[in-house]
Amino acid sequence: MMRLPLFHRAATATATAAANPRALARPNRGLPLMLLLPFMLLAIFVGMVGGLDSPPLIAIVGTAVLSVLMLFVLPLHGMFWCLFVLTFLLQGSAVYFLKLRPSAWLAFGLAILFFCRALLDLVVHKREQRRMRKGDGSTVEIAALLFVAAFAVSLVFNRVPKSQIFSAAKAMLPMFSVLFALYWFRWKENHLEASWRMMFWVVLIQVPVVLYQHFFVATATSFDSIVGTFGGTPGFGGNSAIMVLFTVLAMGYAAARWNAGQMSGKAMWAFQAVGFAIILLGEVKAAFIWLPLVLAWVLRRRILRSIAAFIGFAVLLAAFIGTTYTVYETLYWGKKVQSAHNVAEKLDRGGGYFFDPNNVNYRTGEVSRAASLALWANDPLATVPRRLVGYGPGASKPSGLLGAGEVAKRYQPLHLDATALGILLWDVGLLGALAYGSMLLFSLLAAWRYVRRKQGSVAQLALADTCVAAMLLFLMMLVYNRALMDEPTAQLLLMMCMGTIVQLCRFSASQR
């Protein structure tokens, strides 16, 4: 049986080298002859597509072909870095600037290939995995498997059409491959840290992009047009919340590294200033809570060390809130908030409508966060089985391969998918929602216990501290918007955080 040289066991290679030292000096003769035929066919296919003279089609097909080649050429962590760059920089930019909406599929497709590569590595190294220690990370993986099981049960129970199965599975499941890979394989500490340090570069790249979007794209009537490279439609909404969430977590990680002595003070404060600028331009109200919460957690020991430090942090926090509110009111809220007649109306227009369970607009279809849950709770056709397993993945989706889902049609024109929790309740029921929520909660508890026991190195503790704050934010995201259910940027960020937690819990060098 022919084997691919790229997947040979390290132990086999070591034994061969010991038996024959000259084997190390032998040059690699290239890919097996068996792989030449599919590679030639791929080359012919790309050439045929190039003859169609369609640049967008060539870009999509070329990227897909390169992604397949990565499966055989790159190591697992290298594939993750490609997935990271594609998801946070390329696919969103293609959607926003080139109007290539199918570009989001590239991130999901590469995540599936990443899963295939992880499975190949798992088969090759299965003996090593038997010796791996079980710990807090196992509860996270069990909750993730329970969610996938609930997803499958809902599909079977509701007899979901094949096209809807494909669409729903594509939207929810591929990024779980990152959690799988970080759970089963020990990653080198420098590879894991490098993955997180890449966040700094992504944030820096956002600066010229958001400046361009602010001055040349956004208008007084546009909605969430400043999204950086995270995707969206100019003037009609985008992933500004995920861009700001990503920036806040990167700022928290920079502060955690500085607190651990892994980053200079000048670099840390310069990065905080860059992140602050992105938050000001992004106009995301949740930033008033997100950034103070993250920084207060990662710097808690330094803040509580003395009264002066506590007062200093309080002053900086007040300056952040005051400046951000002033900029938001001047640039975005001005006329909308100032036209209110009283304080209650101003609060409602400034964001209080999120919590109004009766805020439903039958003309535009918009519903508030609270209303999206109230509609599910008051569903007149709900039965006990429907409450438990939902109406099937994709049921709340207003559009898809076969049009709107079952309950989305019933409630048209309302957008039932306003929040991730609302989607979970409609699509996979209470069981699926509880499994998904447990996955986030167990990740939070595992990271918190890791920090409390002071396991691992100072660099690993900085990662764990950041992940504790991240999981708190992701729990909030369940009722903030729908991004966790179908946006590759939000899903990859979540799985990266959860995967880091299980990686630290299972493979930390220091256990106490």
Side-chain angles (χ1 to χ4, degrees), residues 38-58:
F39 284 173
M40 289 175 63
L41 292 176
L42 282 175
I44 294 172
F45 175 68
V46 174
M48 293 173 62
V49 172
L52 298 177
D53 195 25
S54 173
L57 183 61
I58 294 173

Side-chain angles (χ1 to χ4, degrees), residues 129-150:
Q129 305 312 315
R130 292 174 188 163
R131 299 192 295 268
M132 293 308 171
R133 178 181 49 79
K134 307 217 180 301
D136 288 337
S138 299
T139 59
V140 179
E141 193 75 5
I142 290 171
L145 292 174
L146 287 176
F147 172 73
V148 175

